[in-house]
Amino acid sequence: MLSLKNLPWRNLQGYAGRTAALVFFSMLMAAAIFGGSMIVSGVLRGLSEAEARLGADIVVTPVDANSSFDAQTVLLQAEPGYFYMDKGKLDEVAAVEGVEKATPQRYMASAKAGCCSARLQMIAFDPETDFVIGPWLKDSNLSEMGLMDVVIGSNVTVYNDNIIRFYDTECRIIGQFEPTGTTLDNCVYMNFETVNVLINASFEKRLNLYEKYSPEDVISSVMVRTASGYDTERVAADIRAKVGGVSVATAKNMVSGISDGLKRISRSITFTAGMLWLIGLFAVMLLFVMMIHERKREFASLSAMGADRKVISDIVGKEAMTVCLMGGAAGIFFSAAVLYSFGGFIGNYLGAGMVVPSTGTAFVLAGLALCSSLLAAKVAARAAVWYIFRTDVSLVLKEGE
Amino acid sequence: MKLEAKGLKKDYTRAGKSGSVFEAVKPLDFALKSGELVEITGRSGSGKSTLLSMMAGMLVPTGGSICIDDMDIYAMEEEERSKLRNGRIGLIPQGNTALLSLTVLENVMLPFVLYHKEPPPEDRAKELLMKVGLFDMKDERPNALSGGELRRMAVARALLMKPAVLLADEPTAGLDDANVELVMELLRSAADEGASVLLVTHENEARKYADRVFNMAGGRLCSN
């Protein structure tokens, strides 16, 4: 039944081509706002997860590791790699004043070969002294690891039931960590006994660069917790001065290095989303005014029938609102589908860790994106109403006759 | 209902640097009484459509006043004036004035839905479509209608609200003789039922239906 309420929808149906174009541009705007804000929020969440997971104040690595291992980007960008230093470095570091706890880690990378399930970073820890990985296990309610037990990061996919194979040696998966949005999600975690078996297996297959070492005698890094009352930078400088052949990075520097990079990324995304929104707004306004121009005799006829400015403005406003809400909802749905399906790829493409925001955050951002669509509808409707009443309607009725 | 114009005029400032004034309607007095059909003839550009638009409350005059039953319609707020036009003035503008997204029947019912929440008077709309010979086309979209059929649809739409004043701008333009007769008889019967009917045209076919005929030339209204 015809009513003033359904007239805007009937009008939009009557101009299906233009309506579809308007919905498309509204979709683009909402996708830019929602997608952009979700990515920025995801990247920032990744950073906070990384900070929480770092667990150490200082990371000590061999000085020659810098060629293949950049401590400042390990949390976000590290390629699988391994490097070793003498395990005596642990005692040297632990002896530095202000070091409360020091625990070694031993790294290994699986090979891109048939003997391994996938190319992955392995991180082994010493359960006796560890204060980094242990809390993650506890947070994830995982049991203690035995020989050949591993816990996998959230991005590691395993097709065989709870078994992962490195250098033709099978490991039992006892659990999987929650996502952090960092390369820590691509790692496999194990104790020293397990990694030693795997390092020896890699020696047997001649797939290890460091055959001159015995795995029991080497470590890859020392994670340090500073005693309270000591300045971390000062302790790091002392380690640099007293322990030879090591590279020392503080968590603060690592995080601020990452944070600066993320701020740049966030700014770029915000700028791009803002530009896309403005382009979308311009296109919606232009198309909407074009559609109104095409129908200016219709609006003049409505005026001749007695429709006042408010009635006409309401019709135009509801038309704009309908297309922008339809486009907005479609844009949010589309970008949510892309983000939830390909969040990891997007993070890798941006060179940043990204954790898809929580459902609550996603709802808030979706609400904001819809509000931005409504704002666009308001602007487009105002422009269109101005256009309709710019010319005397009685003159419009005479035009072209 | 009495529609009366006193000292009514409309000037337009010409575009361009000269800024000179063009007098579309020169000061005139004119009254339209209930039950009469008045025809204003004149060439294109003589000012008759401008006069009709002012009488309909759609074009603010430069000077003078238009009163319906002694109420100056231009002293009213735009909203009030529009509602008055919707309820008491039936306007048949020039050319195609249909909403393309609606059917012919819905176009005829449109004036009612602008200010009413109740279901539109479908029976009356159908009856009017029957009178203008468009009943069989009621479910068609306006783009399926010829120019003459669209004019007849506009006549039916203007009559929907049983207006006290009916203003028609070239209502018979583009119609064949049979349809001219049909439309003019409808306007005549509206007048006979008590409406004040004013039609402007540059054709002569309507003359025999009119109670009074005026001629408009150069913005001046003269009695014939």
Side-chain angles (χ1 to χ4, degrees):
Chain A
M1 188 189 70
L2 180 69
S3 69
L4 193 59
K5 217 171 165 184
N6 68 20
L7 188 58
W9 177 241
R10 298 289 302 276
N11 285 337
L12 290 174
Q13 283 179 312
Y15 292 84
R18 289 239 195 277
T19 302
L22 281 164
V23 169
F24 172 77
F25 279 104
S26 307
M27 188 179 101
L28 187 76
M29 289 164 68
I33 289 292
F34 180 68
S37 55
M38 282 283 280
I39 291 171
V40 169
S41 169
V43 164
L44 295 176
R45 189 176 173 203
L47 176 66
S48 95
E49 291 281 349
E51 275 186 82
R53 283 291 172 95
L54 188 58
D57 300 319
I58 298 168
V59 180
V60 180
T61 51
V63 77
D64 60 352
N66 284 336
S67 56
S68 60
F69 177 88
D70 180 355
Q72 296 216 337
T73 58
V74 65
L75 288 170
L76 293 175
Q77 296 170 342
E79 268 289 298
Y82 52 102
F83 38 82
Y84 302 113
M85 58 187 172
D86 187 85
K87 70 174 182 183
K89 298 287 180 197
L90 172 65
D91 294 333
E92 287 181 50
V93 171
V96 172
E97 193 185 346
V99 174
E100 184 194 354
K101 284 182 183 175
T103 186
Q105 288 189 347
R106 197 172 289 154
Y107 303 144
M108 182 64 197
S110 55
K112 266 185 197 163
C115 61
C116 297
S117 298
R119 180 158 166 79
L120 295 166
Q121 178 75 52
M122 295 176 230
I123 297 178
F125 60 98
D126 174 13
E128 305 260 316
T129 57
D130 174 70
F131 60 89
V132 176
I133 314 277
W136 305 2
L137 291 169
K138 207 173 163 189
D139 289 349
S140 307
N141 292 320
L142 295 171
S143 56
E144 295 222 341
M145 288 187 201
L147 181 64
M148 306 318 289
D149 284 348
V150 297
V151 174
I152 56 176
S154 66
N155 287 345
V156 178
T157 311
V158 177
Y159 298 100
N160 293 333
D161 288 345
N162 296 331
I163 297 293
I164 193 162
R165 203 161 44 90
F166 299 115
Y167 302 105
D168 280 337
T169 307
E170 287 189 348
C171 298
R172 190 168 68 97
I173 298 165
I174 61 163
Q176 189 163 25
F177 286 130
E178 288 294 308
T180 66
T182 68
T183 48
L184 297 175
D185 293 339
N186 307 331
C187 298
V188 178
Y189 302 87
M190 59 196 71
N191 63 25
F192 270 8
E193 284 177 296
T194 306
V195 85
N196 290 349
V197 172
L198 296 177
I199 291 172
N200 283 325
S202 71
F203 287 155
E204 280 169 24
K205 292 197 168 293
R206 298 192 170 280
L207 288 170
N208 194 312
L209 294 170
Y210 296 95
E211 287 189 33
K212 60 180 178 174
Y213 293 115
S214 161
E216 288 82 4
D217 296 335
V218 293
I219 55 174
S220 299
S221 68
V222 180
M223 312 298 274
V224 173
R225 178 172 291 167
T226 316
S228 71
Y230 283 85
D231 175 48
T232 302
E233 290 294 338
R234 181 89 202 168
V235 175
D238 280 355
I239 295 171
R240 256 181 231 115
K242 290 176 182 167
V243 184
V246 294
S247 171
V248 184
T250 63
K252 198 177 157 195
N253 287 345
M254 287 168 72
V255 172
S256 71
I258 296 163
S259 176
D260 287 348
L262 290 186
K263 275 180 193 158
R264 274 196 300 278
I265 291 167
S266 300
R267 271 199 297 272
S268 310
I269 294 167
T270 307
F271 178 76
T272 310
M275 286 307 288
L276 277 173
W277 191 83
L278 281 176
I279 292 167
L281 175 67
F282 183 72
V284 166
M285 252 173 65
L286 198 69
L287 272 169
F288 202 68
V289 172
M290 274 169 70
M291 188 160 91
I292 295 300
H293 172 77
E294 205 178 325
R295 293 165 49 204
K296 63 181 179 178
R297 273 190 75 81
E298 291 193 2
F299 289 107
S301 301
L302 281 168
S303 181
M305 287 173 228
D308 61 25
R309 275 173 182 258
K310 189 182 171 299
V311 168
I312 291 175
S313 302
D314 281 354
I315 293 170
V316 172
K318 281 176 188 165
E319 286 183 22
M321 200 87 87
T322 306
V323 285
C324 286
L325 280 180
M326 279 169 65
I332 289 166
F333 180 78
F334 173 75
S335 48
V338 170
L339 280 171
Y340 282 99
S341 307
F342 305 108
F345 288 115
I346 294 167
N348 288 344
Y349 178 75
L350 294 170
M354 193 185 114
V355 183
V356 176
S358 65
T359 314
T361 309
F363 270 111
V364 170
L365 295 176
L368 287 176
L370 271 186
C371 286
S372 81
S373 294
L374 291 180
L375 176 69
K378 273 253 178 241
V379 173
R382 267 185 178 271
V385 167
W386 171 83
Y387 183 82
I388 291 169
F389 294 111
R390 187 183 65 130
T391 318
D392 207 311
V393 284
S394 67
L395 296 179
V396 174
L397 287 171
K398 286 204 286 186
E399 273 176 24
E401 298 302 329
Chain B
M1 177 183 271
K2 190 178 176 189
L3 181 65
E4 192 172 18
K6 280 182 189 164
L8 189 70
K9 67 170 192 164
K10 182 69 186 176
D11 299 337
Y12 287 106
T13 306
R14 291 181 200 275
K17 286 178 184 171
S18 72
S20 61
V21 171
F22 166 68
E23 291 181 289
V25 174
K26 292 179 173 145
L28 60 83
D29 294 330
F30 172 75
L32 185 64
K33 284 178 284 183
S34 185
E36 73 170 346
L37 191 154
V38 175
E39 182 193 15
I40 298 176
T41 60
R43 295 181 177 205
S44 292
S46 59
K48 55 190 191 305
S49 291
T50 305
L51 172 63
L52 189 104
S53 293
M54 289 193 286
M55 302 288 271
M58 287 187 66
L59 182 64
V60 182
T62 313
S65 65
I66 294 172
C67 295
I68 288 184
D69 289 343
D70 297 327
M71 276 191 307
D72 184 349
I73 62 171
Y74 287 101
M76 297 173 179
E77 292 293 322
E78 187 263 344
E79 192 179 336
E80 196 184 351
R81 193 164 62 242
S82 295
K83 278 187 179 149
L84 175 85
R85 186 163 60 247
N86 177 259
R88 301 183 74 182
I89 301 174
L91 178 62
I92 305 165
Q94 291 184 40
N96 174 14
T97 54
L99 265 66
L100 298 181
S101 53
L102 304 181
T103 64
V104 169
L105 179 66
E106 287 168 335
N107 263 286
V108 173
M109 295 190 297
L110 195 52
F112 181 87
V113 302
L114 293 178
Y115 296 106
H116 296 85
K117 289 204 166 94
E118 310 87 77
E122 199 172 316
D123 289 344
R124 170 148 177 84
K126 283 178 180 168
E127 181 196 326
L128 287 166
L129 283 174
M130 193 86 82
K131 281 185 181 171
V132 295
L134 288 176
F135 183 77
D136 292 341
M137 310 283 275
K138 69 181 192 311
D139 296 323
E140 297 290 345
R141 301 273 160 186
N143 52 16
L145 271 60
S146 69
E149 287 166 338
L150 286 169
R151 304 292 298 140
R152 279 146 59 195
M153 189 202 79
V155 172
R157 188 176 62 198
L159 291 168
L160 182 86
M161 305 293 280
K162 298 181 180 164
V165 177
L166 193 57
L167 304 170
D169 195 354
E170 308 281 4
T172 56
L175 299 187
D176 56 28
D177 290 346
N179 280 312
V180 167
E181 289 232 340
L182 194 148
V183 167
M184 285 313 303
E185 274 167 16
L186 268 173
L187 297 180
R188 181 65 256 177
S189 68
D192 293 342
E193 284 165 24
S196 316
V197 182
L198 172 67
L199 67 98
V200 300
T201 177
H202 59 264
E203 293 168 8
N204 288 321
E205 296 96 327
R207 191 152 296 196
K208 64 178 178 184
Y209 297 93
D211 297 311
R212 288 187 291 154
V213 177
F214 291 87
N215 182 255
M216 203 152 181
R220 281 185 204 287
L221 187 67
C222 318
S223 182
N224 250 10

